[in-house]
Amino acid sequence: MAEAADELSTPLGQSTVGRTRRFRLPFTAMQALAVLLGLVLVGFAGVALFNDNPLGGEPIARITLRNPPPAAADDKHAASGQAAEPAVKSAAKAPAAASDAKNDAKTVTIIDGSSGKRQDVVIGAGDPAEKTMDADAPPLAMTGIDPRLLEKSRYGMIPVVADGLKPFTVYAAEADRAKAARMPVVAIVVSGLGVGAAKTTDAIMKLPPAVTLAFTPYGADPGKLAERARAQRHEILLQIPMEPFDYPDNDPGPQTLLTTLSSEQNLDRLYWHLSRLQGYAGIANFMGARFVATDPVMQPIVREAAKRGLSFFDDGSTPRSVAQSLSAGQSLPFAKADFAIDVVPTSAEIDRALVKLETIAKERGTAVGVASALPVSIERLGAWLKTLDSKGIMLVPLTTAMLKSKSG
């Protein structure tokens, strides 16, 4: 009928030209793109749902292991023929050394920072250059770590009392305690170390050994920095992340001790922190205003610290802390900071806080200040500490201040 209508409407004498119908796809280009994107998303979802990879999305480190290059021949000996017998002896020893290198495998522990899960990976020793680098690192006995005061936990080595020795007494910095008993003393704790190698190194190298350094369990290698501090004769503390009042908006970090967890769960998290480094004389709270003010959750932590021969340092962040009374009940060496000297991090305010610390020391016999490792704090502390002798005040490590307060 459509063609008949076209013929009737065509002028006389003119031929009718048939229209060619264009082929049309059943969907537009935009619809095809949407379908394609949908297929891609479905594929990704399938991989995410059905691929069982517990480390998916986590950072990955790849280690390349290379065999050592063949030993170069000694051209001088080959040319002259001299020292042939020693060369033969060395060659005879080489296979045994190579065999030892193959058997000298290493176990590297990888720790998931979010969950605390540990995974051991065995790596063959292989390269003599790697053994040379490891030889530069002194063994535990050379760095003053007593292996008797360590026991193995599921996370690593943690402190323990053994043979009548306690980490508190073994790792306390040297001090003239008889002199400290006769005159006013000040103890300074610089906290928050281990995260940020530059500021940690400044505190270690620019402050006198009698300043106590407190390390958090985080950072790339807090144990190495803590060992450097001990090599400079600083005594060290380990800060334990604890729940603040505004948690989780203000989150101290992985494995934080929480008031909502059971004592077993918090102790398990405590062991994770204790294994991060060695050689500390005690523990301290890292944040934790809510946690240290909650008696039921603090009791197991204080009891465990006493059992393991440690001390407890309260940074004074909350007046509601129950740490002091609980420590007294466990005969746990304890100290609480009188105040933080760099709440306002300016030279004038820090100097004013340090003068206040002098006054407390003279009135009460002992004063304890806490500071962060800000450059201005390190600079003002370094200048002020040089003036203490002339003022009749003695700078002492925190452990000495704890013992003086206990005896006094």
Side-chain angles (χ1 to χ4, degrees):
M1 293 298 294
E3 293 180 358
D6 289 340
E7 292 176 355
L8 291 174
S9 61
T10 302
L12 295 174
Q14 296 185 12
S15 61
T16 303
V17 180
R19 295 182 179 178
T20 55
R21 179 173 295 177
R22 298 176 60 189
F23 176 74
R24 299 182 63 186
L25 294 172
F27 47 79
T28 65
M30 292 299 295
Q31 290 172 330
L33 181 60
V35 171
L36 181 61
L37 289 175
L39 291 174
V40 172
L41 292 175
V42 169
F44 276 120
V47 172
L49 289 173
F50 301 108
N51 183 27
D52 185 16
N53 181 11
L55 298 178
E58 293 294 329
I60 297 175
R62 290 183 172 85
I63 302 174
T64 303
L65 300 178
R66 297 183 177 88
N67 291 325
D74 193 329
D75 295 335
K76 181 181 291 186
H77 292 164
S80 63
Q82 296 176 355
E85 185 178 354
V88 172
K89 289 182 179 179
S90 298
K93 294 178 180 178
S99 176
D100 292 341
K102 289 181 180 179
N103 295 329
D104 189 13
K106 295 181 180 178
T107 300
V108 177
T109 302
I110 301 173
I111 302 175
D112 183 352
S114 60
S115 66
K117 182 179 179 182
R118 301 171 70 89
Q119 180 180 1
D120 291 338
V121 178
V122 178
I123 300 176
D127 193 349
E130 183 182 7
K131 294 198 71 173
T132 302
M133 291 175 62
D134 292 338
D136 293 338
L140 291 180
M142 291 182 64
T143 57
I145 302 296
D146 191 332
R148 294 174 298 174
L149 302 182
L150 293 173
E151 73 172 2
K152 190 173 183 179
S153 73
R154 61 185 293 228
Y155 298 117
M157 305 305 288
I158 60 176
V160 68
V161 175
D163 298 334
L165 300 175
K166 297 181 179 181
F168 171 76
T169 53
V170 172
Y171 301 131
E174 295 181 1
D176 188 344
R177 291 174 184 168
K179 181 180 178 182
R182 300 191 303 268
M183 61 187 301
V185 300
V186 166
I188 298 293
V189 178
V190 177
S191 63
L193 302 177
V195 178
K199 70 174 185 179
T200 301
T201 301
D202 278 350
I204 293 171
M205 304 306 295
K206 294 182 179 180
L207 295 174
V211 173
T212 299
L213 304 181
F215 287 77
T216 69
Y218 308 128
D221 195 350
K224 183 177 180 180
L225 291 170
E227 196 56 52
R228 185 173 183 182
R230 297 186 68 252
Q232 295 296 319
R233 297 182 292 119
H234 293 278
E235 71 181 16
I236 63 173
L237 304 175
L238 173 65
Q239 292 183 275
I240 307 297
M242 299 178 179
E243 179 184 349
F245 280 113
D246 51 353
Y247 181 86
D249 294 333
N250 191 10
D251 190 346
Q255 303 294 314
T256 294
L257 275 57
L258 301 174
T259 57
T260 54
L261 297 179
S262 67
S263 60
E264 291 79 11
Q265 290 172 307
N266 277 325
L267 285 174
D268 186 72
R269 293 188 171 201
L270 175 67
Y271 295 157
W272 185 87
H273 295 301
L274 294 178
S275 69
R276 295 286 286 157
L277 51 98
Q278 282 83 38
Y280 42 89
I283 61 175
N285 61 300
F286 178 56
M287 302 173 61
R290 182 190 295 275
F291 194 92
V292 299
T294 308
D295 192 288
V297 294
M298 272 295 290
Q299 282 187 18
I301 304 303
V302 171
R303 188 162 53 245
E304 191 69 18
K307 171 186 171 183
R308 297 192 173 276
L310 300 170
S311 62
F312 191 90
F313 173 64
D314 188 332
D315 68 2
S317 56
T318 175
R320 297 164 55 185
S321 174
V322 297
Q324 183 169 6
S325 60
L326 292 177
S327 297
Q330 295 291 328
S331 299
L332 178 71
F334 175 85
K336 183 175 182 178
D338 292 296
F339 52 83
I341 66 169
D342 53 0
V343 174
V344 181
T346 64
S347 297
E349 290 300 320
I350 291 174
D351 290 345
R352 188 174 292 111
L354 293 173
V355 171
K356 183 179 177 183
L357 207 60
E358 294 175 16
T359 303
I360 294 175
K362 291 178 179 179
E363 292 177 350
R364 201 176 60 198
T366 304
V368 180
V370 64
S372 58
L374 295 171
V376 64
S377 304
I378 300 299
E379 189 269 328
R380 296 316 305 154
L381 271 173
W384 175 73
L385 292 173
K386 295 175 182 177
T387 69
L388 288 183
D389 282 342
S390 63
K391 299 173 181 176
I393 300 174
M394 182 180 177
L395 173 68
V396 298
L398 182 68
T399 53
T400 300
M402 287 177 171
L403 292 172
K404 179 175 180 177
S405 298
K406 185 177 180 180
S407 62

